[in-house]
């Protein structure tokens, strides 16, 4: 009777789930940090934009980059993070990005409402 041997060990391919999971975890962490840094980017954009009274082109460009970085963090980070979390089947990350998306949506709606009310003319004024 031949002795029982275990199945031969094959080397894992380069696209192993462990490697995908580690890179996915790094992407999830990076997108989470980007989302958390978005309010800081908005505030810095405002400070830099208001601080450059002489309209220096360099500081105007820095202000625009910070503004778009903040907008991207609010809009893009939760969407891409949710897609990655669904792809790698990480339930806690899915919940986190769903909450991040909901918070971002509420903040965007409130900002649009504030902008709408701020743009209204006072009675008796011509806009």
């Amino acid at each position: 009777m031949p002795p029982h041997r275990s199945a031969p060990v094959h080397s894992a391919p380069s696209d192993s789930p462990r490697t995908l999971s580690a890179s996915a975890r790094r992407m999830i962490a990076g997108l989470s940090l980007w989302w958390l840094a978005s309010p800081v980017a908005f505030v810095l954009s405002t400070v830099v934009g208001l601080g450059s009274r002489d309209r220096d082109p360099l500081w105007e460009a820095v202000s625009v980059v910070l503004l778009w970085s903040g907008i991207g963090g609010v809009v893009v980070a939760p969407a891409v993070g949710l897609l990655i979390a669904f792809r790698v089947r990480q339930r806690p990350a899915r919940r986190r990005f769903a909450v991040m998306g909901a918070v971002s949506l509420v903040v965007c709606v409130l900002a649009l409402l504030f902008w709408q009310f701020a743009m209204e003319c006072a009675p008796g004024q011509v806009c």
Side-chain angles (χ1 to χ4, degrees):
M1 181 172 225
H4 291 288
R5 294 186 191 184
S6 61
V9 177
H10 297 287
S11 63
S14 61
D15 295 353
S16 69
R18 184 177 197 136
T19 306
L20 177 67
S21 179
S23 64
R25 275 187 262 133
R26 282 193 293 271
M27 285 289 295
I28 288 170
L31 289 168
S32 298
L33 289 174
W34 185 20
W35 184 79
L36 286 172
S38 301
V40 176
F42 279 124
V43 169
L44 285 176
S45 171
T46 304
V47 168
V48 168
L50 293 176
S52 63
R53 301 243 186 247
D54 57 354
R55 299 293 179 212
D56 185 18
L58 174 69
W59 291 111
E60 284 291 322
V62 168
S63 178
V64 168
V65 167
L66 285 170
L67 178 67
W68 283 107
S69 173
I71 290 172
V74 168
V75 176
V76 174
V80 171
L82 193 60
L83 290 175
I84 291 172
F86 270 116
R87 174 83 174 141
V88 296
R89 295 181 178 97
Q90 289 188 357
R91 184 176 292 249
R94 282 188 287 193
R95 280 183 281 193
R96 180 182 339 144
F97 283 113
V99 169
M100 286 166 51
V103 169
S104 293
L105 182 64
V106 167
V107 168
C108 288
V109 167
L110 289 176
L112 288 173
L113 281 174
F114 175 75
W115 183 261
Q116 182 65 32
F117 290 135
M119 290 294 116
E120 286 186 3
C121 294
Q125 287 186 339
V126 178
C127 292

